[in-house]
Amino acid sequence: MSAGSAQQNDTGPAIGPETNLPLPRYVSLRAGEANVRRGPSLSHRIDWVFQRRDMPLQVIAEYGHWRRVIDRDGQGGWVHYRMLSGARTVIIDADDLALRNRPDPNATENAILEAGVVARLGDCNPDWCELTAGGYRGWAPKAAIWGVTDAEIRD
């Protein structure tokens, strides 16, 4: 098995060889800064630095203490697992996204979020997720956020 490859079982998603957690999966950036390396070790070149605490990332591979991650633009590389958190966040993809008081497009607006805002992820049904950002809480359509799968249900 090559560095970072996952095992595919016959009944479900790929499983990470280090954590036995599903791949791909979403996490968030624990630190305010994290080096993104070309390969899974300190000897590999730093390609860039993620600089946004709580930014959602998708883990796509594992190797030892390293996780290969991508951001919403598909950019990424290898990050040490200590720089990541299991706390779930999403990033707003839509301009002026209304947070609603219930998962209904006609429900009352609690707040308007700008594109690029990072929000904490709460419950999700097939089409909507509950988000918390800037002291506001409400529901947003899954299609307007990045950091959750289309099929993901959370409660």
Side-chain angles (χ1 to χ4, degrees):
M1 191 178 300
S2 63
S5 64
Q7 298 172 345
Q8 179 77 33
N9 68 37
D10 295 335
T11 59
I15 301 298
E18 305 298 335
T19 63
N20 289 321
L21 294 172
L23 289 177
R25 68 179 177 278
Y26 289 97
V27 297
S28 60
L29 192 61
R30 177 188 313 265
E33 284 191 353
N35 292 333
V36 182
R37 295 183 180 271
R38 189 158 290 182
S41 77
L42 292 173
S43 63
H44 283 88
R45 188 176 119 195
I46 297 170
D47 283 334
W48 59 82
V49 179
F50 284 138
Q51 295 183 321
R52 190 167 184 191
R53 182 185 308 274
D54 296 328
M55 180 174 66
L57 298 167
Q58 188 176 43
V59 176
I60 59 171
E62 301 177 346
Y63 183 78
H65 292 303
W66 297 86
R67 306 296 174 257
R68 186 171 188 157
V69 297
I70 56 171
D71 64 13
R72 73 175 173 162
D73 298 322
Q75 300 299 311
W78 293 91
V79 175
H80 196 274
Y81 80 99
R82 288 186 187 163
M83 299 291 107
L84 304 174
S85 168
R88 294 290 301 277
T89 61
V90 296
I91 195 161
I92 307 304
D93 267 343
D95 288 325
D96 299 328
L97 176 66
L99 282 186
R100 303 203 174 265
N101 68 352
R102 63 189 196 304
D104 178 336
N106 299 314
T108 304
E109 292 180 2
N110 293 343
I112 303 290
L113 301 180
E114 295 179 1
V117 166
V118 172
R120 293 271 176 207
L121 181 63
D123 295 347
C124 290
N125 67 32
D127 299 313
W128 293 76
C129 288
E130 189 176 26
L131 307 179
T132 304
Y136 294 96
R137 178 175 292 209
W139 290 83
K142 279 185 182 177
I145 59 178
W146 186 87
V148 64
T149 65
D150 291 340
E152 191 168 353
I153 306 292
R154 293 172 48 101
D155 40 68

